[in-house]
Amino acid sequence: MKKVITAFLLSVAFYSPAQVFERGYVQNLVKRGTDHIYNASPDSAEYYIAKAEKHLPYHPVIPLMRAMSILWVNIPTISEELFLEMEYHLDSAVSLAVKNDPELEDPEMIFFAMASYGLLAEYYADQGYTMRAVGEANRAYGLMKKGFEIVDEYPEFLLTTGLYNYFREKYPEKHPIYKPLLWFFRNGDMELGLNQLKRATKESFLTRVEAHVYLSYIYLRYEFEPKLAQTYLSALCEKYPNNYYAKAKYLESLANPTDFKQAPIDIIYSLIKHESPYYKLAGYVFLGYLEEKIIKNQKKAEYAYRLALDYGKTIPSHGEFFKSFGYVGLGRILVEKGEKDEAREMLDLSLKYAETDQVEKEAYRLLSEL
Protein backbone atom coordinates (compact mmCIF):
# COMPACT_ATOMS: atom_id res chain seq x y z
CA MET A 1 0.00 0.00 0.00
CA LYS A 2 2.84 2.41 0.80
CA LYS A 3 4.31 1.81 -2.65
CA VAL A 4 0.94 2.47 -4.29
CA ILE A 5 0.52 5.72 -2.34
CA THR A 6 4.08 6.81 -3.18
CA ALA A 7 3.56 6.07 -6.87
CA PHE A 8 0.29 8.01 -6.83
CA LEU A 9 1.87 11.04 -5.15
CA LEU A 10 4.75 11.03 -7.62
CA SER A 11 2.35 10.85 -10.54
CA VAL A 12 0.40 13.82 -9.18
CA ALA A 13 3.63 15.75 -8.56
CA PHE A 14 4.87 15.21 -12.09
CA TYR A 15 1.70 15.17 -14.15
CA SER A 16 0.07 18.59 -14.13
CA PRO A 17 -2.07 19.00 -17.26
CA ALA A 18 -3.16 22.40 -18.54
CA GLN A 19 -1.67 24.42 -15.70
CA VAL A 20 0.07 26.89 -18.02
CA PHE A 21 -2.30 26.81 -20.99
CA GLU A 22 -5.35 27.48 -18.79
CA ARG A 23 -5.97 31.05 -17.69
CA GLY A 24 -5.27 31.76 -14.06
CA TYR A 25 -2.67 32.88 -11.56
CA VAL A 26 0.10 30.59 -12.81
CA GLN A 27 -0.41 31.57 -16.44
CA ASN A 28 -0.24 35.22 -15.39
CA LEU A 29 3.11 34.60 -13.69
CA VAL A 30 4.41 32.92 -16.84
CA LYS A 31 3.13 35.79 -19.01
CA ARG A 32 4.83 38.41 -16.84
CA GLY A 33 8.05 36.44 -16.76
CA THR A 34 7.91 36.03 -20.53
CA ASP A 35 7.49 39.78 -21.01
CA HIS A 36 10.67 40.38 -19.00
CA ILE A 37 12.47 37.69 -21.00
CA TYR A 38 11.68 39.47 -24.26
CA ASN A 39 12.67 42.80 -22.75
CA ALA A 40 16.07 41.25 -21.95
CA SER A 41 15.57 41.86 -18.22
CA PRO A 42 16.91 38.61 -16.71
CA ASP A 43 16.63 39.56 -13.02
CA SER A 44 12.98 40.53 -13.34
CA ALA A 45 12.30 37.46 -15.47
CA GLU A 46 13.87 35.18 -12.85
CA TYR A 47 11.69 36.73 -10.14
CA TYR A 48 8.55 35.54 -11.94
CA ILE A 49 10.10 32.23 -13.02
CA ALA A 50 10.93 31.48 -9.38
CA LYS A 51 7.39 32.39 -8.28
CA ALA A 52 5.95 30.12 -10.97
CA GLU A 53 8.34 27.36 -9.94
CA LYS A 54 6.81 27.27 -6.45
CA HIS A 55 3.50 26.29 -8.05
CA LEU A 56 4.98 24.14 -10.84
CA PRO A 57 8.18 22.61 -9.46
CA TYR A 58 8.20 19.78 -12.01
CA HIS A 59 6.86 21.58 -15.07
CA PRO A 60 9.06 21.97 -18.20
CA VAL A 61 7.99 25.60 -18.59
CA ILE A 62 10.42 26.55 -15.80
CA PRO A 63 13.71 25.37 -17.38
CA LEU A 64 12.48 26.42 -20.83
CA MET A 65 11.91 29.97 -19.59
CA ARG A 66 15.38 30.01 -18.06
CA ALA A 67 16.87 28.92 -21.39
CA MET A 68 14.86 31.59 -23.22
CA SER A 69 16.05 34.24 -20.76
CA ILE A 70 19.68 33.40 -21.56
CA LEU A 71 18.88 33.46 -25.26
CA TRP A 72 17.20 36.87 -25.36
CA VAL A 73 19.82 38.61 -23.24
CA ASN A 74 22.54 37.44 -25.62
CA ILE A 75 20.81 36.93 -28.98
CA PRO A 76 22.13 36.25 -31.56
CA THR A 77 25.73 35.65 -30.44
CA ILE A 78 25.62 32.82 -27.92
CA SER A 79 29.02 31.84 -26.51
CA GLU A 80 29.96 28.20 -25.96
CA GLU A 81 29.66 28.68 -22.19
CA LEU A 82 26.18 30.16 -22.47
CA PHE A 83 25.17 27.51 -24.98
CA LEU A 84 26.09 24.79 -22.48
CA GLU A 85 23.96 26.51 -19.85
CA MET A 86 21.05 26.75 -22.29
CA GLU A 87 21.54 23.12 -23.26
CA TYR A 88 21.28 22.08 -19.60
CA HIS A 89 17.96 23.90 -19.18
CA LEU A 90 16.54 22.61 -22.48
CA ASP A 91 17.52 19.02 -21.66
CA SER A 92 15.84 19.49 -18.27
CA ALA A 93 12.66 20.72 -19.96
CA VAL A 94 12.55 17.65 -22.21
CA SER A 95 13.24 15.35 -19.27
CA LEU A 96 10.43 16.87 -17.19
CA ALA A 97 7.98 16.72 -20.11
CA VAL A 98 8.69 13.01 -20.54
CA LYS A 99 8.46 12.34 -16.79
CA ASN A 100 5.13 14.13 -16.67
CA ASP A 101 3.78 12.33 -19.72
CA PRO A 102 5.93 9.42 -21.02
CA GLU A 103 3.93 9.05 -24.24
CA LEU A 104 3.86 12.82 -24.81
CA GLU A 105 0.15 13.03 -25.50
CA ASP A 106 -0.75 15.94 -23.23
CA PRO A 107 -0.76 19.23 -25.23
CA GLU A 108 1.37 21.12 -22.71
CA MET A 109 4.02 18.41 -22.56
CA ILE A 110 4.01 18.10 -26.37
CA PHE A 111 4.51 21.86 -26.71
CA PHE A 112 7.33 22.28 -24.20
CA ALA A 113 9.23 19.20 -25.39
CA MET A 114 8.82 20.31 -29.02
CA ALA A 115 10.00 23.84 -28.25
CA SER A 116 13.04 22.51 -26.40
CA TYR A 117 13.96 20.09 -29.18
CA GLY A 118 13.59 22.91 -31.72
CA LEU A 119 15.89 25.26 -29.81
CA LEU A 120 18.45 22.50 -29.34
CA ALA A 121 18.37 21.76 -33.07
CA GLU A 122 18.85 25.43 -33.94
CA TYR A 123 21.82 25.91 -31.67
CA TYR A 124 23.47 22.60 -32.49
CA ALA A 125 23.29 23.72 -36.12
CA ASP A 126 24.82 27.09 -35.18
CA GLN A 127 27.64 25.33 -33.38
CA GLY A 128 28.29 23.06 -36.37
CA TYR A 129 27.01 19.84 -34.71
CA THR A 130 25.08 18.77 -37.79
CA MET A 131 24.10 15.23 -36.80
CA ARG A 132 22.97 16.31 -33.34
CA ALA A 133 20.95 19.11 -34.94
CA VAL A 134 19.27 16.64 -37.31
CA GLY A 135 18.42 14.32 -34.42
CA GLU A 136 16.77 17.06 -32.38
CA ALA A 137 14.96 18.39 -35.46
CA ASN A 138 13.51 14.93 -36.14
CA ARG A 139 12.25 14.72 -32.58
CA ALA A 140 10.72 18.20 -32.87
CA TYR A 141 9.05 17.28 -36.17
CA GLY A 142 7.50 14.17 -34.63
CA LEU A 143 5.86 16.31 -31.97
CA MET A 144 5.01 19.07 -34.45
CA LYS A 145 2.81 16.58 -36.32
CA LYS A 146 0.83 16.06 -33.13
CA GLY A 147 0.45 19.82 -32.91
CA PHE A 148 -1.15 19.92 -36.36
CA GLU A 149 -4.14 18.07 -34.96
CA ILE A 150 -4.78 20.32 -31.95
CA VAL A 151 -3.77 23.74 -33.29
CA ASP A 152 -7.33 25.09 -33.32
CA GLU A 153 -7.80 24.20 -29.67
CA TYR A 154 -4.36 25.32 -28.41
CA PRO A 155 -3.15 28.61 -29.98
CA GLU A 156 0.48 28.08 -28.90
CA PHE A 157 0.78 25.57 -31.75
CA LEU A 158 -0.13 28.24 -34.32
CA LEU A 159 3.52 29.33 -34.53
CA THR A 160 5.06 25.97 -35.36
CA THR A 161 2.17 24.87 -37.58
CA GLY A 162 2.21 28.18 -39.42
CA LEU A 163 5.97 28.07 -39.95
CA TYR A 164 5.73 24.52 -41.25
CA ASN A 165 2.87 25.30 -43.64
CA TYR A 166 4.69 28.33 -45.03
CA PHE A 167 8.26 27.06 -45.34
CA ARG A 168 7.33 23.55 -46.48
CA GLU A 169 6.22 25.18 -49.73
CA LYS A 170 8.25 28.39 -49.86
CA TYR A 171 11.72 27.04 -49.10
CA PRO A 172 11.92 24.54 -51.99
CA GLU A 173 10.38 27.18 -54.24
CA LYS A 174 13.29 29.50 -53.45
CA HIS A 175 15.88 26.69 -53.21
CA PRO A 176 14.82 24.05 -55.77
CA ILE A 177 17.85 21.89 -55.01
CA TYR A 178 16.17 20.82 -51.75
CA LYS A 179 12.84 19.90 -53.33
CA PRO A 180 13.61 16.15 -53.82
CA LEU A 181 14.56 15.86 -50.14
CA LEU A 182 11.11 16.97 -48.96
CA TRP A 183 8.89 14.47 -50.77
CA PHE A 184 8.20 12.45 -47.59
CA PHE A 185 7.07 15.50 -45.58
CA ARG A 186 3.37 16.35 -45.64
CA ASN A 187 2.42 19.22 -47.94
CA GLY A 188 2.10 22.74 -46.60
CA ASP A 189 0.02 25.77 -47.52
CA MET A 190 1.75 29.17 -47.66
CA GLU A 191 -1.39 31.28 -47.34
CA LEU A 192 -2.67 29.19 -44.46
CA GLY A 193 0.76 29.35 -42.81
CA LEU A 194 0.86 33.14 -42.96
CA ASN A 195 -2.66 33.37 -41.56
CA GLN A 196 -1.74 31.03 -38.70
CA LEU A 197 1.32 33.14 -37.88
CA LYS A 198 -0.83 36.27 -37.89
CA ARG A 199 -3.27 34.57 -35.54
CA ALA A 200 -0.35 33.61 -33.28
CA THR A 201 0.57 37.29 -32.87
CA LYS A 202 -2.87 37.87 -31.34
CA GLU A 203 -4.09 34.60 -29.82
CA SER A 204 -0.99 33.02 -28.25
CA PHE A 205 0.82 34.24 -25.15
CA LEU A 206 4.02 32.19 -25.04
CA THR A 207 4.82 32.38 -28.75
CA ARG A 208 3.38 35.81 -29.58
CA VAL A 209 6.76 37.56 -29.79
CA GLU A 210 8.31 34.73 -31.79
CA ALA A 211 5.41 35.02 -34.24
CA HIS A 212 6.15 38.74 -34.65
CA VAL A 213 9.83 37.98 -35.27
CA TYR A 214 9.22 35.21 -37.81
CA LEU A 215 6.53 37.14 -39.69
CA SER A 216 8.84 40.13 -40.04
CA TYR A 217 11.60 37.78 -41.24
CA ILE A 218 9.28 36.30 -43.86
CA TYR A 219 8.19 39.72 -45.09
CA LEU A 220 11.80 40.90 -45.30
CA ARG A 221 13.45 37.82 -46.81
CA TYR A 222 10.77 35.97 -48.74
CA GLU A 223 7.75 38.16 -49.48
CA PHE A 224 9.71 41.42 -49.97
CA GLU A 225 7.13 43.55 -48.20
CA PRO A 226 9.18 45.62 -45.74
CA LYS A 227 6.24 47.80 -44.72
CA LEU A 228 4.47 44.74 -43.33
CA ALA A 229 7.64 43.79 -41.46
CA GLN A 230 7.76 47.32 -40.03
CA THR A 231 4.32 46.81 -38.50
CA TYR A 232 5.42 43.79 -36.48
CA LEU A 233 8.87 45.09 -35.56
CA SER A 234 7.72 48.54 -34.47
CA ALA A 235 5.20 46.86 -32.16
CA LEU A 236 8.02 44.86 -30.54
CA CYS A 237 10.22 47.95 -30.17
CA GLU A 238 7.40 49.81 -28.46
CA LYS A 239 6.52 47.01 -26.03
CA TYR A 240 10.09 45.84 -25.35
CA PRO A 241 12.37 48.90 -25.41
CA ASN A 242 15.35 46.87 -24.19
CA ASN A 243 15.06 44.32 -27.02
CA TYR A 244 17.98 45.31 -29.23
CA TYR A 245 17.41 42.48 -31.68
CA ALA A 246 13.99 43.95 -32.53
CA LYS A 247 15.56 47.41 -32.85
CA ALA A 248 18.19 46.20 -35.33
CA LYS A 249 15.58 44.35 -37.40
CA TYR A 250 13.24 47.33 -37.35
CA LEU A 251 15.97 49.52 -38.86
CA GLU A 252 16.59 46.81 -41.45
CA SER A 253 12.93 46.99 -42.44
CA LEU A 254 13.36 50.74 -43.03
CA ALA A 255 16.55 50.33 -45.09
CA ASN A 256 15.56 52.19 -48.23
CA PRO A 257 15.96 55.92 -48.93
CA THR A 258 12.24 56.64 -48.67
CA ASP A 259 11.44 54.82 -45.43
CA PHE A 260 14.74 55.56 -43.70
CA LYS A 261 13.73 59.22 -43.35
CA GLN A 262 11.49 58.08 -40.50
CA ALA A 263 14.16 55.93 -38.83
CA PRO A 264 14.39 56.78 -35.10
CA ILE A 265 17.87 58.26 -34.57
CA ASP A 266 17.82 57.23 -30.92
CA ILE A 267 17.59 53.56 -31.93
CA ILE A 268 20.69 53.91 -34.10
CA TYR A 269 22.70 55.40 -31.25
CA SER A 270 21.37 52.90 -28.72
CA LEU A 271 22.71 50.09 -30.93
CA ILE A 272 26.08 51.84 -31.20
CA LYS A 273 26.28 52.13 -27.40
CA HIS A 274 25.49 48.44 -26.85
CA GLU A 275 28.41 46.34 -25.65
CA SER A 276 27.82 43.58 -28.23
CA PRO A 277 29.83 43.93 -31.47
CA TYR A 278 26.80 42.57 -33.33
CA TYR A 279 24.70 45.58 -32.35
CA LYS A 280 27.60 47.99 -32.87
CA LEU A 281 27.91 46.56 -36.38
CA ALA A 282 24.22 47.20 -37.00
CA GLY A 283 24.26 50.65 -35.40
CA TYR A 284 27.24 51.94 -37.34
CA VAL A 285 25.94 50.45 -40.60
CA PHE A 286 22.70 52.38 -40.23
CA LEU A 287 24.54 55.50 -39.12
CA GLY A 288 26.54 55.21 -42.35
CA TYR A 289 23.34 54.83 -44.34
CA LEU A 290 21.80 57.83 -42.58
CA GLU A 291 24.86 59.98 -43.36
CA GLU A 292 25.03 58.76 -46.95
CA LYS A 293 21.38 58.86 -48.03
CA ILE A 294 19.64 61.32 -45.74
CA ILE A 295 22.26 63.79 -44.44
CA LYS A 296 24.41 63.49 -47.59
CA ASN A 297 27.75 63.56 -45.78
CA GLN A 298 29.83 61.00 -47.68
CA LYS A 299 32.93 61.42 -45.51
CA LYS A 300 31.08 60.61 -42.29
CA ALA A 301 29.20 57.82 -44.05
CA GLU A 302 32.44 56.18 -45.16
CA TYR A 303 33.87 56.42 -41.63
CA ALA A 304 30.74 54.85 -40.12
CA TYR A 305 30.66 52.02 -42.67
CA ARG A 306 34.33 51.19 -42.08
CA LEU A 307 33.86 51.21 -38.32
CA ALA A 308 30.81 48.95 -38.64
CA LEU A 309 32.68 46.45 -40.79
CA ASP A 310 35.59 46.38 -38.34
CA TYR A 311 33.13 45.21 -35.68
CA GLY A 312 31.68 42.75 -38.18
CA LYS A 313 35.05 41.06 -38.56
CA THR A 314 34.96 40.09 -34.88
CA ILE A 315 31.75 38.06 -35.33
CA PRO A 316 32.40 35.74 -38.30
CA SER A 317 29.21 33.68 -37.97
CA HIS A 318 26.55 36.38 -37.49
CA GLY A 319 25.35 39.67 -38.95
CA GLU A 320 25.47 38.72 -42.63
CA PHE A 321 22.81 41.22 -43.68
CA PHE A 322 24.47 44.11 -41.86
CA LYS A 323 27.86 43.19 -43.33
CA SER A 324 26.52 42.96 -46.87
CA PHE A 325 24.63 46.24 -46.42
CA GLY A 326 27.73 47.95 -45.08
CA TYR A 327 30.01 46.63 -47.83
CA VAL A 328 27.64 47.68 -50.60
CA GLY A 329 27.27 51.12 -49.00
CA LEU A 330 31.02 51.53 -48.77
CA GLY A 331 31.29 50.26 -52.34
CA ARG A 332 28.88 52.97 -53.53
CA ILE A 333 31.00 55.68 -51.93
CA LEU A 334 34.26 54.27 -53.35
CA VAL A 335 32.76 54.06 -56.85
CA GLU A 336 31.82 57.74 -56.62
CA LYS A 337 35.35 58.57 -55.46
CA GLY A 338 36.83 56.63 -58.39
CA GLU A 339 38.68 54.18 -56.14
CA LYS A 340 37.85 51.22 -58.36
CA ASP A 341 40.09 48.52 -56.92
CA GLU A 342 38.88 48.87 -53.35
CA ALA A 343 35.33 49.39 -54.56
CA ARG A 344 35.45 46.07 -56.39
CA GLU A 345 36.82 44.36 -53.28
CA MET A 346 34.03 45.80 -51.10
CA LEU A 347 31.31 44.86 -53.59
CA ASP A 348 32.62 41.30 -53.86
CA LEU A 349 32.46 41.04 -50.08
CA SER A 350 28.93 42.40 -50.18
CA LEU A 351 27.94 39.59 -52.53
CA LYS A 352 29.67 37.05 -50.30
CA TYR A 353 27.43 37.98 -47.36
CA ALA A 354 24.30 39.03 -49.28
CA GLU A 355 21.01 37.65 -47.95
CA THR A 356 18.62 39.82 -49.97
CA ASP A 357 17.97 40.45 -53.64
CA GLN A 358 18.09 44.18 -52.91
CA VAL A 359 21.75 44.06 -51.90
CA GLU A 360 22.72 41.60 -54.64
CA LYS A 361 21.19 43.71 -57.39
CA GLU A 362 22.86 46.87 -56.09
CA ALA A 363 26.27 45.18 -55.85
CA TYR A 364 26.05 43.72 -59.38
CA ARG A 365 24.88 47.08 -60.75
CA LEU A 366 27.85 48.90 -59.21
CA LEU A 367 30.30 46.22 -60.37
CA SER A 368 29.00 46.63 -63.91
CA GLU A 369 29.95 50.32 -63.77
CA LEU A 370 33.60 49.67 -62.88
Side-chain angles (χ1 to χ4, degrees):
M1 179 61 70
K2 286 173 67 178
K3 289 182 179 179
V4 172
I5 293 172
T6 300
F8 173 76
L9 290 174
L10 284 172
S11 69
V12 171
F14 277 111
Y15 189 68
S16 49
Q19 288 183 301
V20 175
F21 282 2
E22 286 188 354
R23 292 181 180 179
Y25 178 70
V26 172
Q27 187 186 96
N28 188 52
L29 290 176
V30 172
K31 282 181 178 179
R32 297 188 72 175
T34 301
D35 277 339
H36 287 295
I37 286 171
Y38 287 118
N39 199 39
S41 304
D43 292 341
S44 298
E46 179 56 33
Y47 172 79
Y48 287 102
I49 294 170
K51 288 192 74 171
E53 188 173 23
K54 290 179 181 178
H55 297 273
L56 301 174
Y58 302 107
H59 199 290
V61 70
I62 303 302
L64 179 62
M65 288 177 72
R66 289 192 167 119
M68 293 296 289
S69 185
I70 294 169
L71 170 63
W72 278 95
V73 169
N74 299 281
I75 192 170
T77 53
I78 309 296
S79 69
E80 181 72 20
E81 181 181 2
L82 288 173
F83 172 72
L84 290 174
E85 189 177 349
M86 278 185 61
E87 182 183 47
Y88 169 77
H89 290 305
L90 293 171
D91 285 340
S92 297
V94 170
S95 178
L96 286 173
V98 173
K99 284 181 180 178
N100 286 332
D101 182 18
E103 300 300 319
L104 289 179
E105 297 294 339
D106 177 72
E108 283 200 16
M109 299 306 119
I110 292 171
F111 175 80
F112 290 109
M114 177 185 65
S116 300
Y117 284 137
L119 284 170
L120 283 168
E122 181 178 350
Y123 285 93
Y124 285 145
D126 266 1
Q127 297 293 322
Y129 304 137
T130 305
M131 295 309 297
R132 294 175 77 177
V134 170
E136 301 297 343
N138 283 336
R139 295 181 185 96
Y141 177 65
L143 295 175
M144 190 184 300
K145 289 189 291 185
K146 294 184 179 183
F148 295 158
E149 308 304 321
I150 55 177
V151 65
D152 290 328
E153 188 177 357
Y154 297 96
E156 298 311 315
F157 290 95
L158 285 166
L159 174 70
T160 50
T161 304
L163 286 173
Y164 181 88
N165 275 324
Y166 181 82
F167 282 107
R168 170 60 181 86
E169 301 303 314
K170 190 66 176 182
Y171 197 80
E173 177 185 296
K174 189 169 182 178
H175 307 280
I177 192 173
Y178 292 105
K179 196 167 187 176
L181 303 177
L182 299 174
W183 66 269
F184 52 89
F185 290 95
R186 62 178 281 175
N187 290 335
D189 182 323
M190 285 191 287
E191 184 177 355
L192 174 61
L194 284 175
N195 286 333
Q196 288 171 327
L197 291 170
K198 291 173 186 175
R199 284 179 57 196
T201 66
K202 298 175 182 177
E203 298 176 30
S204 65
F205 74 94
L206 282 170
T207 59
R208 182 173 297 186
V209 172
E210 306 290 338
H212 278 75
V213 170
Y214 278 109
L215 267 175
S216 64
Y217 175 77
I218 286 169
Y219 285 127
L220 285 172
R221 294 285 193 274
Y222 289 88
E223 297 296 316
F224 310 111
E225 296 189 54
K227 288 193 179 299
L228 292 177
Q230 291 165 22
T231 300
Y232 293 104
L233 292 166
S234 63
L236 291 184
C237 289
E238 183 176 351
K239 185 167 185 179
Y240 304 111
N242 202 41
N243 189 316
Y244 285 82
Y245 188 80
K247 290 180 180 182
K249 291 299 179 184
Y250 179 49
L251 291 176
E252 179 183 335
S253 73
L254 296 169
N256 63 76
T258 300
D259 289 348
F260 210 74
K261 292 176 182 177
Q262 67 185 29
I265 308 301
D266 60 321
I267 289 184
I268 294 176
Y269 283 104
S270 72
L271 291 171
I272 288 172
K273 292 176 183 177
H274 198 283
E275 63 183 18
S276 166
Y278 176 88
Y279 294 116
K280 289 184 181 295
L281 161 65
Y284 278 114
V285 157
F286 291 124
L287 179 61
Y289 194 67
L290 178 74
E291 294 287 356
E292 180 194 4
K293 294 293 186 179
I294 309 302
I295 300 175
K296 307 293 184 182
N297 188 322
Q298 303 302 294
K299 186 175 181 180
K300 287 186 176 181
E302 180 179 349
Y303 176 78
Y305 282 138
R306 289 189 185 278
L307 193 52
L309 295 167
D310 284 342
Y311 281 111
K313 291 172 185 175
T314 70
I315 44 171
S317 59
H318 293 283
E320 283 79 2
F321 172 81
F322 304 123
K323 293 173 189 176
S324 68
F325 198 73
Y327 279 120
V328 81
L330 184 54
R332 276 194 303 269
I333 292 172
L334 293 170
V335 168
E336 290 179 11
K337 291 172 66 176
E339 298 178 13
K340 294 185 177 182
D341 289 342
E342 190 181 8
R344 185 175 289 106
E345 179 185 352
M346 296 301 102
L347 295 169
D348 285 340
L349 285 169
S350 178
L351 289 170
K352 174 184 175 181
Y353 293 109
E355 291 192 332
T356 64
D357 291 344
Q358 169 197 359
V359 169
E360 281 192 359
K361 289 176 181 177
E362 177 76 352
Y364 279 125
R365 181 187 68 79
L366 290 166
L367 283 168
S368 70
E369 296 177 4
L370 295 176

